[in-house]
Structures are given as structure tokens and as C-alpha cells.
């Protein structure tokens, strides 16, 4: 399965996409992570390998370059960018390279909008399936592996007529193993920091089997997985297995970034995990619904339509180089999976460069998260930042890297907070127009990206330089969102 963000829930629920890197591009062929004279060759090999593995770039395509006059890598890059909702340029910009570097499932991607099934709608002809765990990873106890696998299968059993029985010996429908590199299926793993796992569609022989890359570090609970946000490779086996078992049952990948079957790994709290609507629709298209549904079962979360240019976002922030977009309520959504103690609805959010925390605001309260963990002493009153008692709600917040100040927007005014000194700057609040000349509407969200400041107001977004107050462009607020249409 995949690795890394982004974000999902029912109508009026929060979502965010962990997608875009803040690292500036160095050229049209980005050398992300590479240097030295042969860096261009290395990154080209990485791109070619990625496109061969996941977007069917073949030797025949490459041999056809001279005859057809179209570079097949450019064509496949466009396919990849289209799948992930990136700008379709056919060149390797920063966002494309960042997406290629994310940990993910080893199953190729298909050009679909939402859920997909394998060609011919491959599925099991029985609803009573068996599984067998052939060996165990040393990363976890046997009991933890057993429980992770059982819970991952139950994710699909809860919404279909499917049942799963474990076998201790013999050949089961779904054979589960932990293996390294070449392991007998002509689909070798690539070592640490690459593909996490792969699985095969329902059929005889290897069909349905799921293989997990032993070179990766798997974990049982979310505690150890928190280090993944700092760039270390530790992944919750339950999440990886649930994704792979989707393939074992007949599902391909989805372009819905909130779906379990999205190719890239997205951390969700195993204790609060709920199968998103897109995945429910996909698996039920093959097997139908579960006839014994609990009437108290919560509604599957639905990803808001990121292609809706009129959508008004609640907040935008960054998290250690990734963008977070918030919309609607937090219950039964990805924000509750990332941060179970988060507020029900987010009014504003910002990332502090001083404390390495993300702050979420609702009403007169603020929550502080270090990685996935709620900081000690939070939530607390917003007077923590020196805001006056008559401020009942923060409309937006952003950290200005130039002045090293956090700006809080309240109505038609804003406050400036010095985090290094932990004091509110004197002379505030001031009119927003003194900061953003000509801007007279309420600020609903804001963040900085590659030296520019992006101010959201309703369904519009404005690109500014805070140093000069100059307005460069007026955009729709879906400009940074990955559109899956």
C-alpha cells in the first residue's frame, strides 16, 4: 500500500490533502534529493522506474519515440499528473517529484475518477473466504500481526456479505507473507523507503495473495507510527493490510485522496478508522451490501469535491512541508483519524516555526499538536496568545516567515504575535487594509508558499507579497487542491 496526507468526510465534514511540498523547484527536471554531476541521470532513472512500475511505461513505448515524435515519458508523466490531480505539464516539477517520492502500494494505477475494479470486474465467486498468515514480521508480536490482519479483513466484511476464516495450514484464498526483494512472483520489492506491499486480484494460483515488504518497518499502534511524520519509515500494518486486501477482493486504486484505496499511504488512527464512502461504493459494486448492517453504524465519510471552485475552506495550514486544507466538521473524518482530540470544527489553523506545532482554533479555544500528539495543557483559552477577551473567534491565522510573526485575522482587523517573545505586538489590532492594500473582505484562511502569501476570502484566493503589499493574482480557492475530475 501507499505511504504519507491529504483528507475526507461526509458533507459538512473536514478534509485536508497532504500533498504539496514547500521546497522550491530547481529546474524543470527537479533534482529532489540528488546532487553531484550525475544527479540528472539518477533522477531520470527514478522517474523512468516509477512510470514503468505504476503507469505502464514499456520498452515498446520508448522504442516508438522516434517513429511517433512524442516522448513516451512525457505522455506517461501527464497520465501520472492527471491521476493525482497535479498540473498536467508533462515535466517533472516539484509537486510531481514530491508525489513520486511518497511511499505507496506496488499495484499500478489506473486512469479513473473514483474507485476502480480490475479489468473484467474480477471477484471471488463465493462470499466465504479463507486466509492464512505464512510467516511473521519481527517488527511486531505474532498477536499484533494476527489482530492487524483480522481487523483489516473486517473493514471489508462490515460493508459486504463477505466472511473470512483463518487457516493454519493448506492453501487459502488469501495467502499473506512478509518477504524481501525478489520473492518468486516476478514483482520484486525495492528495499526500504519504496513500495510497502502489493496484492493480486481474485483468481486461481497467486490470485488474492498479499505480500508485505519486510524491508519496511511495520507497527501495531499509532504511537510508533507518529515518527513517520518526521520522515522515518514506520507504517501501521492494519492500514497497509486493509488497502492490500482491497486489491485481494478485486478493487484497483482510487483517485479519491480520502479513500483507503488511494495509492499513497495516509496515516489514520486504527482505533477510529472508518471505511470511506468511495471504498464502500467500490466493494459493494462487486459483492453488494451487508444485509446485517447495524442501524447505529456511522455514515461512511465522503471526500468533499476538490474540483468545486465555489467551495469555501474553513482553514489552511502547513504541517512539516505539507499543505492541510480544512472543510466542515471533524467527526468521522480524517482529522479525527490524525488528531482524535481535535476540535469538532476548525475556524483557523497555523503551523508554528518556533514550537514545531500545528494550532487549531475553534471559538475561544486552541488545540496544539506536536506531530499527531496533543500538546500537554491543551486545549486552552486563546488568551494564551495575548488576544483580548472580546475576541470570540479567529477567522484565520498564518505565520509570516519574513517578520517571524503570527498574524491573527479577526473581522476586518488583524493582530501580530511575536512567538519568540510570546507577546502580542504593541499597536494592534490594525485594519487588514494596512497589511493588504485594497482588501476589504473578511479573511477566511491564509498561508505562505514559496515566498508568496495566499489569502482566502470566501471562494476566492489572492496571491500577495506581504513585504510590499502588492497583489499579484486573484485565483479561485481550488487552485492548490488536487482535482480528481
Amino acid at each position: 500500500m501507499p505511504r504519507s496526507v491529504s483528507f475526507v468526510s461526509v458533507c459538512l465534514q473536514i478534509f485536508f490533502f497532504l500533498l504539496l511540498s514547500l521546497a522550491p523547484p530547481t529546474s524543470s527536471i527537479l533534482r529532489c534529493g540528488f546532487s553531484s554531476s550525475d544527479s540528472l541521470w539518477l533522477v531520470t532513472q527514478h522517474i523512468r522506474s516509477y512510470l514503468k512500475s505504476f503507469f505502464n511505461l514499456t520498452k515498446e513505448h520508448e522504442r516508438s519515440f522516434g517513429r511517433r515524435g512524442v516522448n513516451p515519458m512525457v505522455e506517461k508523466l501527464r497520465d501520472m499528473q492527471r491521476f493525482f490531480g497535479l498540473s498536467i505539464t508533462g515535466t517533472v516539477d516539484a509537486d510531481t517529484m514530491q508525489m513520486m517520492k511518497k511511499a505507496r502500494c506496488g499495484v499500478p494505477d489506473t486512469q479513473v475518477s473514483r474507485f476502480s475494479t480490475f479489468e473484467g470486474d474480477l471477484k471471488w465467486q463465493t462470499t466465504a473466504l479463507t486466509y492464512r498468515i505464512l510467516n511473521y514480521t519481527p517488527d511486531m508480536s505474532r498477536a499484533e500481526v494476527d489482530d492487524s490482519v483480522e481487523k483489516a479483513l473486517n473493514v471489508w466484511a462490515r460493508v459486504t456479505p463477505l466472511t473470512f476464516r483463518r487457516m493454519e495450514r493448506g492453501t487459502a484464498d488469501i495467502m499473506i507473507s512478509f518477504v524481501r526483494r525478489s520473492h518468486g512472483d516476478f514483482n520484486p520489492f525495492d528495499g526500504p523507503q519504496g513500495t510497502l506491499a502489493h496484492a493480486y486480484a481474485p483468481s486461481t494460483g497467486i490470485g488474492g495473495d498479499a505480500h508485505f515488504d519486510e524491508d519496511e518497518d511495520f507497527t501495531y499502534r499509532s504511537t510508533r507510527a507518529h515518527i513517520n511524520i518526521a520522515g522515518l519509515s514506520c507504517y501501521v500494518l492494519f492500514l497497509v493490510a486493509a488497502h492490500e486486501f482491497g486489491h485481494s477482493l478485486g478493487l484497483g486504486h482510487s483517485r479519491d485522496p480520502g479513500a483507503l484505496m488511494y495509492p499513497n499511504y495516509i496515516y489514520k488512527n486504527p482505533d477510529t478508522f472508518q471505511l470511506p464512502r468511495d471504498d464502500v461504493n467500490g466493494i459493494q459494486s462487486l459483492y453488494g451490501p451487508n444485509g446485517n448492517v447495524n442501524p447505529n453504524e456511522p455514515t461512511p465519510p465522503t471526500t468533499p469535491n476538490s474540483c468545486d471552485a465555489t467551495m469555501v475552506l474553513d482553514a489552511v495550514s502547513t504541517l512539516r512541508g505539507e499543505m492541510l486544507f480544512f472543510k466542515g466538521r471533524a467527526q468521522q473524518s480524517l482529522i479525527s483519524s490524525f488528531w482524535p482530540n481535535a476540535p469538532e470544527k476548525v475556524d483557523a489553523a497555523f503551523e508554528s516555526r518556533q514550537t514545531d506545532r500545528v494550532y487549531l482554533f475553534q471559538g475561544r479555544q486552541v488545540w496544539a499538536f506536536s506531530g499527531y500528539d496533543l500538546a500537554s495543557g491543551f486545549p486552552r483559552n486563546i488568551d494564551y496568545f495575548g488576544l483580548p477577551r472580546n475576541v470570540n473567534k479567529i477567522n484565520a491565522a498564518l505565520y509570516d516567515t519574513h517578520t517571524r510573526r503570527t498574524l491573527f485575522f479577526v473581522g476586518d482587523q488583524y493582530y501580530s504575535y511575536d512567538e519568540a517573545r510570546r507577546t502580542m505586538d504593541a499597536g494592534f489590532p490594525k485594519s487588514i487594509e494596512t497589511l493588504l492594500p485594497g482588501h476589504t473582505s473578511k479573511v477566511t484562511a491564509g498561508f505562505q508558499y514559496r515566498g508568496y502569501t495566499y489569502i482566502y476570502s470566501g471562494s476566492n484566493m489572492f496571491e500577495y507579497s506581504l513585504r510590499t503589499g502588492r497583489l499579484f493574482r486573484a485565483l479561485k480557492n481550488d487552485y492548490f487542491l488536487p482535482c480528481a475530475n
Side-chain angles (χ1 to χ4, degrees):
M1 155 153 189
R3 312 162 150 150
S4 137
V5 193
S6 356
F7 319 120
V8 42
S9 61
V10 295
C11 208
L12 297 181
Q13 291 180 339
I14 166 209
F15 87 109
F16 50 87
F17 296 103
L18 297 180
L19 178 64
L20 301 176
S21 165
L22 295 184
T26 57
S27 68
S28 61
I29 296 291
L30 188 71
R31 290 172 168 79
C32 285
F34 297 95
S35 59
S36 83
S37 60
D38 66 347
S39 61
L40 184 59
W41 181 86
L42 288 172
V43 75
T44 301
Q45 296 308 306
H46 173 75
I47 294 165
R48 179 177 285 109
S49 176
Y50 187 95
L51 296 177
K52 284 181 177 179
S53 297
F54 306 119
F55 287 89
N56 196 34
L57 176 66
T58 65
K59 290 183 179 179
E60 179 58 32
H61 286 129
E62 296 187 288
R63 282 195 293 268
S64 70
F65 183 18
R67 297 195 301 270
R68 295 168 52 216
V70 178
N71 189 330
M73 285 187 64
V74 170
E75 289 185 308
K76 293 301 179 179
L77 271 172
R78 288 172 176 160
D79 287 345
M80 178 261 184
Q81 291 164 336
R82 187 176 296 108
F83 183 93
F84 286 108
L86 304 174
S87 297
I88 305 173
T89 63
T91 61
V92 186
D93 54 21
D95 297 336
T96 301
M97 195 66 199
Q98 183 69 13
M99 184 61 71
M100 286 184 175
K101 292 168 65 180
K102 292 182 183 294
R104 54 160 296 147
C105 172
V107 175
D109 301 326
T110 53
Q111 303 305 303
V112 294
S113 178
R114 294 297 181 179
F115 73 82
S116 69
T117 57
F118 291 107
E119 186 176 354
D121 286 346
L122 295 175
K123 67 176 185 178
W124 296 104
Q125 299 306 308
T126 176
T127 59
L129 299 175
T130 58
Y131 70 97
R132 179 184 171 191
I133 303 173
L134 293 173
N135 65 335
Y136 287 82
T137 174
D139 302 338
M140 302 160 57
S141 71
R142 292 173 68 96
E144 288 175 335
V145 173
D146 291 344
D147 189 63
S148 298
V149 168
E150 181 180 358
K151 287 181 177 178
L153 290 168
N154 283 338
V155 161
W156 303 104
R158 277 196 295 271
V159 297
T160 65
L162 296 172
T163 62
F164 299 94
R165 178 176 61 86
R166 182 177 176 183
M167 294 175 58
E168 298 293 341
R169 55 182 56 85
T171 303
D173 297 312
I174 301 173
M175 303 286 275
I176 300 162
S177 57
F178 294 86
V179 292
R180 283 188 172 91
R181 303 288 179 169
S182 296
H183 51 276
D185 62 356
F186 302 100
N187 191 8
F189 284 127
D190 52 6
Q193 302 296 313
T195 301
L196 287 176
H198 55 232
Y200 294 90
S203 71
T204 57
I206 202 172
D209 294 356
H211 302 160
F212 299 85
D213 187 354
E214 188 55 86
D215 280 329
E216 305 296 349
D217 188 9
F218 294 107
T219 184
Y220 179 60
R221 289 291 180 193
S222 57
T223 306
R224 289 178 63 214
H226 292 178
I227 64 174
N228 180 40
I229 206 165
L232 302 178
S233 56
C234 188
Y235 305 98
V236 177
L237 179 61
F238 159 76
L239 296 173
V240 180
H243 175 102
E244 297 308 328
F245 294 152
H247 293 315
S248 298
L249 299 175
L251 289 182
H253 282 151
S254 172
R255 286 179 62 192
D256 181 342
L260 175 63
M261 298 310 296
Y262 189 65
N264 294 343
Y265 177 91
I266 299 174
Y267 171 77
K268 305 175 187 181
N269 189 329
D271 297 326
T272 58
F273 178 83
Q274 186 184 359
L275 190 65
R277 168 54 64 187
D278 185 68
D279 302 297
V280 173
N281 291 345
I283 200 67
Q284 289 184 349
S285 75
L286 293 174
Y287 300 101
N290 187 334
N292 300 311
V293 176
N294 184 341
N296 297 319
E297 189 81 16
T299 303
T302 302
T303 307
N305 183 7
S306 61
C307 301
D308 181 3
T310 65
M311 180 173 57
V312 178
L313 297 170
D314 294 328
V316 181
S317 181
T318 54
L319 175 59
R320 298 177 181 175
E322 305 282 354
M323 287 185 185
L324 281 66
F325 300 88
F326 299 84
K327 174 63 181 176
R329 293 190 175 275
Q331 295 302 319
Q332 304 168 358
S333 66
L334 282 187
I335 191 175
S336 62
S337 294
F338 270 80
W339 298 311
N341 299 313
E344 182 177 308
K345 188 177 183 298
V346 176
D347 295 330
F350 81 96
E351 180 183 27
S352 166
R353 303 298 175 87
Q354 293 290 329
T355 63
D356 192 30
R357 291 174 174 176
V358 171
Y359 293 89
L360 306 180
F361 295 83
Q362 183 190 56
R364 283 192 55 79
Q365 285 192 300
V366 57
W367 285 251
F369 292 91
S370 179
Y372 296 115
D373 299 316
L374 181 67
S376 177
F378 287 87
R380 58 193 306 169
N381 198 285
I382 59 174
D383 59 14
Y384 171 80
F385 291 104
L387 289 160
R389 293 181 180 273
N390 64 347
V391 173
N392 295 314
K393 176 183 177 180
I394 303 295
N395 298 125
L398 68 85
Y399 179 81
D400 180 17
T401 57
H402 176 59
T403 62
R404 299 182 181 179
R405 297 294 194 271
T406 299
L407 308 181
F408 297 105
F409 297 88
V410 180
D412 59 359
Q413 298 179 315
Y414 80 101
Y415 296 81
S416 176
Y417 178 75
D418 185 337
E419 252 189 278
R421 298 181 178 180
R422 300 184 65 179
T423 59
M424 192 66 71
D425 289 330
F428 287 86
K430 294 182 179 180
S431 168
I432 291 176
E433 280 198 89
T434 64
L435 179 72
L436 308 170
H439 191 93
T440 57
S441 54
K442 183 175 73 173
V443 174
T444 54
F447 71 103
Q448 291 188 331
Y449 180 63
R450 295 180 180 171
Y452 295 98
T453 299
Y454 293 90
I455 298 295
Y456 290 76
S457 183
S459 60
N460 297 309
M461 181 180 71
F462 304 92
E463 183 183 72
Y464 278 96
S465 166
L466 285 194
R467 292 190 184 188
T468 64
R470 179 184 173 187
L471 172 64
F472 292 101
R473 291 187 292 176
L475 305 161
K476 300 304 290 184
N477 71 4
D478 63 342
Y479 180 77
F480 286 108
L481 294 176
C483 175
N485 281 354

